[in-house]
Amino acid sequence: MHADLSRLTHRPERHYSAVVAQQGRVQLDADANEQTAIQLFQARTLAADLIGPHGGPRGATGFRIELRGGSRELDDLVIGGGRYYVDGILCDATRPQPGVPVPAHGTADPGKEDKDGGDSGAGEPAAPPATWTYWDQPDAFRDPERPGDRLPTAFPYLVYLKVWERLVTAAEDPALREVALGSALPDTAARAKVVWQVLPLPAAELGLDADNPTVDEVRAAFARWAAKAAAPGSRLAARSEHPGLTDDEPCLVAPDARYRGPENQLYRVEVHDGGSAKDATFKWSRENGSVTFPVDGLDGTWVELATLGSDDKLDLDVGDLVEFVDTGYTSRGEAEPLLRVAEVDLPGRRVRLSGEPAPGVGRRPELHPFLRRWDHHEGSRRTSGGGGRGGRLKHGALPVEEGGWLPLEDGVEVWFAAGGSYRTGDFWLIPARTATGGVEWPTDPARRPLLQYPSGIAVHFAPLAWIAGEQTEPDLRLAFRPLAASIPAADDAALAAEEEARAAESGDASYGSPYDASGPAPSRSQTTAAAEAAADEEGTA
């Protein structure tokens, strides 16, 4: 999550159940965010324990898949509305319907039909479809012009659900900004959003040998594929070391500090290009990638921005590397080359980039394009020990080098474990603190940094349908019934009648007798029973 955070403190293995505020203490974003994370973790764990890996409520199970083929047009999938849970995460496929506007003066109510049953509002737009489809699903951004986005032409193939969470800030959704605070103040809280995508998977990738596999065989094969696809394949460690050739200025940092930065930072190391180590690249930010600049216009390499930054720390300078981002780019998980700021026009709030953004990115205002600044440079002014590695950038990002410490800046270093497999978007967070002169990272008893899997992105999968051909779509979804049941009669006579009926159905001839010698032993001793009977007789005497 690219947000202006101090740090993330939620650790499920510590089994904290709540964050308890204390009077007179400073309130931190990390505490409030941990409380939210604890509640989400508990709710989703409970849902997954009760439902299983995936399932939907009977009668409202969403994501029913129907193939819609055509001889001239591209195949499409109809996605049925309803709810579905994947690893406890709620996904809602219900398509929102637009409201009814106030009719223009002198026209009829557009929400009503005329006497002939037609639409009384001449020229009114057609009603939107009731369900989503493969091509217009809200967070997949499939493009018919891209062959890789089209549905497979060969049968069979599997249709599955991909689910994860991403952060949305006011740069991407301007409605989050409180305009009453004024344009000079920063935005407030961000939002976490559940993203779902319905995607195809060729049968060859499942490793199924049978021509007509059963539903159970398809589910089992998909479970193996999903476990492999969701498992992280890379690890990283971080540390802070006193860099050589630095000025010991006690007015800025302590002379013995290993972290030499003048401010507290939350470093973000994020995989840019995925693949093996020889192909993978990474980028880093000292602000958790939260420095963004909404785009108002794009003309070739010139980009018009809503603002150039609130101060010198959060602005754009010549030489900065930026990523051109919009909602579609983020949802697709792509990795286009980073661009360098070549020129800054302060009066016009414009910057000229080293190249044009990739096709399809930043051209649609409704997708809220923006620039995201990253803090590595071809020749970093604050990196010591060769951390800038000038001339070694690949598509604007740093090549992954395994098995050695790589300096970022101000004494912060990272280590990639050997043999990693990297996925675009995976990230690690490294809090750096001036009070300790170091970074917060788990270590062993010998104070050696521990290798950690990425903090995200956590991806979840569920099978939906097996498309074996036209009009053949075996359903792979699961459904569960509500736990609630009818309340039984509460009066004694009705309860006694129900008990007699159950006894008669089971053939229990001893019902009503205190003890049957041929049956099981009573739950209390005969001595106790006799004593209680004697006490009852004395009481009635």
Side-chain angles (χ1 to χ4, degrees), residues 272-273 278-284 319-322 337-341 354 374-380 383 386-401 407-408:
H272 188 66
D273 293 295
K278 65 182 181 65
D279 300 319
T281 61
F282 73 99
K283 53 206 174 188
W284 63 263
D320 286 343
L321 289 166
V322 295
L338 304 182
L339 302 174
R340 182 175 54 84
V341 176
S354 58
W374 296 96
D375 294 326
H376 61 277
H377 290 78
E378 293 176 304
S380 178
T383 303
R389 296 198 291 281
R392 300 188 60 189
L393 299 183
K394 182 192 299 183
H395 300 152
L398 298 166
V400 168
E401 299 179 15
L408 302 185

Side-chain angles (χ1 to χ4, degrees), residues 10-305:
H10 177 54
R11 302 291 183 270
E13 67 274 8
R14 297 180 182 176
H15 307 295
Y16 294 143
S17 59
V19 175
V20 180
Q22 302 185 81
Q23 62 177 347
R25 306 306 201 271
V26 175
Q27 299 297 308
L28 299 177
D29 65 291
D31 296 332
N33 292 335
E34 182 172 353
Q35 177 62 56
T36 301
I38 289 173
Q39 291 175 318
L40 275 177
F41 176 78
Q42 292 175 340
R44 290 172 176 175
T45 301
L46 176 62
D49 289 342
L50 295 177
I51 298 171
H54 59 91
R58 188 176 297 274
T61 307
F63 296 93
R64 182 181 183 275
I65 301 300
E66 178 183 351
L67 177 63
R68 179 187 293 171
S71 58
R72 297 181 181 179
E73 299 179 356
L74 297 176
D75 287 348
D76 200 356
L77 299 173
V78 178
I79 304 171
R83 300 182 299 281
Y84 207 69
Y85 292 83
V86 181
D87 290 334
I89 301 174
L90 171 62
C91 304
D92 193 345
T94 303
R95 181 162 188 158
Q97 297 299 303
V100 179
V102 175
H105 180 69
T107 61
D109 188 346
K112 297 181 179 180
E113 295 181 349
D114 57 20
K115 297 180 180 180
D116 297 332
D119 188 356
S120 60
E124 291 290 336
T131 58
W132 297 109
T133 68
Y134 174 77
W135 290 112
D136 68 0
Q137 53 183 309
D139 292 309
F141 297 96
R142 302 289 94 182
D143 186 355
E145 299 298 326
R146 297 188 180 190
D149 286 356
R150 300 172 185 173
L151 294 171
T153 57
F155 299 113
Y157 61 89
L158 185 140
V159 177
Y160 68 96
L161 189 62
K162 179 181 179 181
V163 182
W164 77 97
E165 274 190 319
R166 67 180 185 88
L167 201 76
V168 178
T169 65
E172 188 175 347
D173 185 0
L176 299 181
R177 185 182 298 274
E178 175 53 76
V179 297
L181 297 177
S183 59
L185 292 178
D187 57 350
T188 55
R191 303 293 187 272
K193 178 180 180 180
V194 173
V195 177
W196 58 261
Q197 295 178 346
V198 173
L199 302 173
L201 181 66
E205 298 190 27
L206 294 175
L208 293 173
D209 298 330
D211 294 334
N212 296 308
T214 64
V215 169
D216 291 338
E217 290 174 340
V218 174
R219 286 194 181 121
F222 180 79
R224 293 190 295 268
W225 176 89
K228 184 177 179 180
S234 57
R235 293 180 297 169
L236 176 141
R239 71 177 185 182
S240 55
E241 286 294 311
H242 194 294
L245 303 177
T246 58
D247 295 331
D248 291 334
E249 176 53 64
C251 294
L252 298 178
V253 294
D256 59 346
R258 291 167 291 125
Y259 167 58
R260 307 294 296 179
E263 298 181 11
N264 298 319
Q265 303 289 357
L266 181 61
Y267 285 89
R268 181 189 188 93
V269 176
E270 181 175 318
V271 176
H272 188 66
D273 293 295
S276 61
K278 65 182 181 65
D279 300 319
T281 61
F282 73 99
K283 53 206 174 188
W284 63 263
S285 165
R286 68 180 70 95
E287 304 288 348
N288 189 29
S290 64
V291 181
T292 58
F293 306 88
V295 172
D296 286 343
L298 176 63
D299 182 11
T301 59
W302 281 97
V303 183
E304 182 182 352
L305 304 176

